[in-house]
Amino acid sequence: MKKKILATAAAILASLVPGSLFSAEKIKVLIADGPQGAHQYQETTPVLKQLFTKVPQFKVDHTRSSKESCADGSYKPDFNKYDVVVMNEGYGAPDWPKGTQRAFEKYIANGGGMVSIHAANNCWPNWKEYNKMTAIGGWGGRNEKSGPYLYINDKGEVVRDTSKGKGGAHGPQHEFELVVREKEHPIMKGLPPVFKHGPDELYDKLRGPAEKVTILATAFSSKEKKGTGRHEPALMTISYGKGRVFHSILGHHVKQIKEGSFVTTFLRGTEWAATGEVTIPVPKDFPNQKFE
Ligand code: ZN
């Protein structure tokens, strides 16, 4: 009881004095990465780690798989020590050992948090449960068997399109606008209704199980930029058992993950995936705040 009162007092103090010594218990984050075909995880992971040090809410660790540790089964992070796992995985990542996959599924189903950024929806097309967690993904042979395309039409209706075709594409990097679709969601509350991001890759034609997914924001994929002419999901939440997933298609490389639009949505999305709440404020100059 005493501990509870102290914890409550600490939480009240923390809310009055952001970043103070009185911070409530920190959110434990694990960043997971490993070898992959198309993205420089060795360069982006240190920047993601740095982002977490900019706000007092987080404590961050890192785990890296390898082809060897996946093949011999020795790659098995202890997910239960963390509140949320951030996937900085990507296209062509080696399959996690079966036991590690089952442990991760159990961890999320029991209420763990996961964040999928950018290419983390490219990996593991055959890991069924992982694809339920990301809801939609691309490349790696994904097609109509993976599930429907997911987008929002001009009337604002969510479309699950089962037509045949490959999953995953993007045109050249360019600047685009994110349009908020769920302004009352804790991650989005207080963000402007439309804000810019990029130049970045705008993923389109993503497809997958698309179950229990809420589209928080879309980006219009224009035909001039070799896109679909559709409003593509850019920020999403997914529920998996008792677990929460935040999925952002943004963040191709270091430059993109240092952008205000990425930083704020990523940190708030991670906090939400871990706790179901968001206390990290939206900066006054969002999305133009500088990260260094
Ligand atoms: Zn990319």
Side-chain angles (χ1 to χ4, degrees):
M1 191 61 194
K2 200 175 167 193
K3 198 176 169 194
K4 198 176 171 194
I5 291 166
L6 281 172
T8 310
I12 292 166
L13 281 167
S15 67
L16 296 173
V17 193
S20 79
L21 290 171
F22 301 107
S23 292
E25 207 173 319
K26 298 211 180 224
I27 296 167
K28 296 184 200 76
V29 182
L30 180 67
I31 301 176
D33 70 10
Q36 47 190 287
H39 292 87
Q40 308 303 316
Y41 63 99
Q42 304 96 325
E43 291 171 24
T44 50
T45 288
V47 183
L48 294 172
K49 273 173 116 172
Q50 242 182 315
L51 295 185
F52 285 119
T53 64
K54 299 286 169 189
V55 279
Q57 280 87 339
F58 298 105
K59 183 177 183 303
V60 63
D61 273 345
H62 170 224
T63 174
R64 179 163 289 168
S65 70
S66 66
K67 281 187 182 142
E68 296 72 27
S69 64
C70 284
D72 68 15
S74 62
Y75 182 68
K76 37 185 168 187
D78 186 358
F79 302 115
N80 291 316
K81 279 164 56 183
Y82 300 94
D83 300 303
V84 58
V85 178
V86 173
M87 292 289 193
N88 191 24
E89 299 279 356
Y91 179 81
D95 285 333
W96 281 3
K98 289 279 181 273
T100 305
Q101 293 184 359
R102 297 299 88 76
F104 187 68
E105 290 162 9
K106 210 171 150 193
Y107 161 76
I108 300 291
N110 288 339
M114 174 177 128
V115 175
S116 171
I117 57 163
H118 196 60
N121 69 30
N122 299 181
C123 51
W124 308 322
N126 301 318
W127 180 3
K128 209 173 151 195
E129 299 306 308
Y130 181 73
N131 284 268
K132 285 187 194 167
M133 294 173 199
T134 54
I136 50 174
W139 298 274
R142 284 175 172 86
N143 60 24
E144 59 278 5
K145 288 182 191 142
S146 316
Y149 293 118
L150 183 73
Y151 60 90
I152 288 187
N153 67 16
D154 289 337
K155 291 182 203 154
E157 298 158 338
V158 174
V159 179
R160 284 175 168 77
D161 174 358
T162 56
S163 60
K164 287 188 177 177
K166 282 185 182 171
H170 65 78
Q173 289 193 20
H174 63 286
E175 187 176 297
F176 50 87
E177 285 180 336
L178 292 174
V179 177
V180 175
R181 302 285 181 166
E182 294 286 338
K183 64 179 184 345
E184 294 304 319
H185 191 282
I187 299 171
M188 307 312 283
K189 217 167 182 170
L191 290 171
V194 179
F195 55 93
K196 68 175 175 62
H197 175 75
D200 198 350
E201 292 168 348
L202 201 182
Y203 281 180
D204 60 36
K205 292 189 187 155
L206 297 176
R207 64 189 312 163
E211 296 164 4
K212 298 177 186 172
V213 52
T214 303
I215 300 171
L216 302 182
T218 52
F220 184 71
S221 170
S222 73
K223 296 225 164 161
E224 298 90 81
K225 297 291 181 190
K226 299 190 176 161
T228 52
R230 308 199 289 226
H231 305 275
E232 299 286 346
L235 305 175
M236 292 157 264
T237 58
I238 300 102
S239 47
Y240 183 91
K242 291 182 197 153
R244 282 177 296 269
V245 178
F246 172 66
H247 180 168
S248 171
I249 67 160
L250 311 176
H252 171 68
H253 195 39
V254 168
K255 190 167 184 287
Q256 288 79 20
I257 63 178
K258 282 184 171 181
E259 275 189 54
S261 45
F262 181 92
V263 173
T264 295
T265 53
F266 171 72
L267 293 176
R268 287 165 64 97
T270 305
E271 185 184 17
W272 178 83
T275 68
E277 290 167 11
V278 175
T279 62
I280 297 166
V282 177
K284 282 198 181 69
D285 49 353
F286 175 88
N288 300 313
Q289 81 271 24
K290 291 279 173 274
F291 166 76
E292 272 317 321

